Amino acid sequence: MTQRSSRNQEKSLAAFLAKKAEFDALIDELQQASADHFGASPDAILWGEAAWLAEATATLKRLADQHFRRGEYAA
C-alpha cells in the first residue's frame, strides 16, 4: 500500500467510524422512542400514528434489505 493510499484508507475509516457513531446514536434514540410507543398514548392512537409508523418501518426495511441484499437488492 502506498503512503497516499494508506492516508486515504485512514481518512475513509475515520469518516466511516464517525458516521457509524451517528447511526448508532440514531438507532439508540429510536429504540428509546419505540419503548415509549413513540410518545403515543394507546387511548389516543389514530390512523396518522399508524401511517407514520408504517412509513418508518418501510424505510428501515429498505435499509435492512440493502445491507443484507434481500428483495430488490438481492445479488
Side-chain angles (χ1 to χ4, degrees), residues 19-33:
K19 281 298 169 187
K20 184 186 175 312
E22 184 179 1
F23 181 94
D24 290 346
L26 289 168
I27 292 294
D28 287 345
E29 192 175 22
L30 286 169
Q31 285 179 322
Q32 290 173 17

Side-chain angles (χ1 to χ4, degrees), residues 2 13 19 21 28 34 42 47-48 54 64-65 71-72:
T2 68
L13 177 59
K19 281 298 169 187
D28 287 345
S34 178
W47 287 110
D65 286 352
E72 68 180 281

Side-chain angles (χ1 to χ4, degrees), residues 5-73:
S5 63
S6 179
R7 281 194 315 265
N8 185 50
Q9 195 279 327
E10 289 172 10
K11 288 180 181 180
S12 297
L13 177 59
F16 177 86
L17 292 175
K19 281 298 169 187
K20 184 186 175 312
E22 184 179 1
F23 181 94
D24 290 346
L26 289 168
I27 292 294
D28 287 345
E29 192 175 22
L30 286 169
Q31 285 179 322
Q32 290 173 17
S34 178
D36 187 37
H37 298 89
F38 298 98
S41 168
D43 297 330
I45 297 288
L46 295 174
W47 287 110
E49 288 85 2
W52 176 86
L53 190 54
E55 183 179 336
T57 301
T59 299
L60 289 174
K61 182 181 183 318
R62 189 184 83 246
L63 292 172
D65 286 352
Q66 285 175 343
H67 177 73
F68 294 110
R69 292 176 174 81
R70 299 185 295 222
E72 68 180 281
Y73 303 98

